[in-house]
Structures are given as structure tokens and as C-alpha cells.
Amino acid sequence: MRFMIQVRATDTSERGDKPGPEFAQLFEDMGAFHEEMARAGVLLDGAGLRPSRQGWRQRYHADGRREVIDGPFAETKELIAGYTLIQVRSEDEARAWASRFPAPFIGITCEIEARRLYEEADFGPGGDMEIGR
């Protein structure tokens, strides 16, 4: 089973400030944690995301129109600042890794969110995941 651990954005991450020397320990801790996950064979990917002002959303309207909306986006609490993608044997194992995830920001309240990804087996034989194979 695959899980995405999402680092929720903050005002700090959305400003896109270059981290100062006070973040050195955080980056060291985060790097060590990701290395540990890689050695354990559960890490699939992980990265930080640039601020939403450097992105866009594409909205699909019921009448078929598509609309591109350039960032930044106002609701910081609804944005993602980074992610770590893991593959584990159980939800309990995913919870154990997530519980050890270093606090992603210094000196502010912040949070991560873990969500399971759909797998091909979730759709059954001939399901949507097999189209085009």
C-alpha cells in the first residue's frame, strides 16, 4: 500500500523565503529521516513544492469549459508545501513512519496529513486503471 505524507503549507512556505541557517538542523533531520526510510525500503519519493504563486489550477466546469486560474491561492491551510511517498505493508506501518516525521517548520504550529493512494486492485479486473495497457 502506498501513502502520501503531505506537509501542509504555512504562511512561511507560501512566502517562499530562502531558509536561513536556523533551518540547518531541520534539513539535516529531514534528510536523515528520508535516508532511514530509503534504507528500510519504504521511500518512493519526496520533495518540497514551490509557493502556489508559481503554480496554477485548472477548473473543469459542468458545461465542459476549462478555466486556468493562476496562483497564488488565498487559503494557505488548504495547500501542500511538500510530500513524501511511501510504500508499506499496512496502515499501522504508515502511521508508525508518519508519527516519526520531523516537524516540517520551526517555531510555528504546522501539520502533516497522510492519505492512502488508490491501487490498481481497488478497481477490480478491467477497471479504469487498466485502460490503455
Side-chain angles (χ1 to χ4, degrees), residues 36-100:
E36 182 182 351
M37 288 189 293
R39 283 192 308 274
V42 301
L43 181 66
L44 297 176
D45 193 19
L49 300 175
R50 292 179 178 257
S52 68
R53 72 173 177 274
Q54 296 179 19
W56 66 91
R57 292 179 177 167
Q58 185 160 309
R59 181 171 291 152
Y60 298 86
H61 293 275
D63 63 6
R65 288 180 302 116
R66 295 178 184 206
E67 175 184 12
V68 174
I69 305 159
D70 291 326
F73 306 114
E75 291 295 321
T76 301
K77 65 183 179 189
E78 301 297 327
L79 299 175
I80 299 170
Y83 70 94
T84 299
L85 188 62
I86 60 174
Q87 185 164 14
V88 294
R89 292 178 295 277
S90 68
E91 182 177 324
D92 287 342
E93 186 179 358
R95 286 178 181 272
W97 283 109
S99 72
R100 296 182 46 226

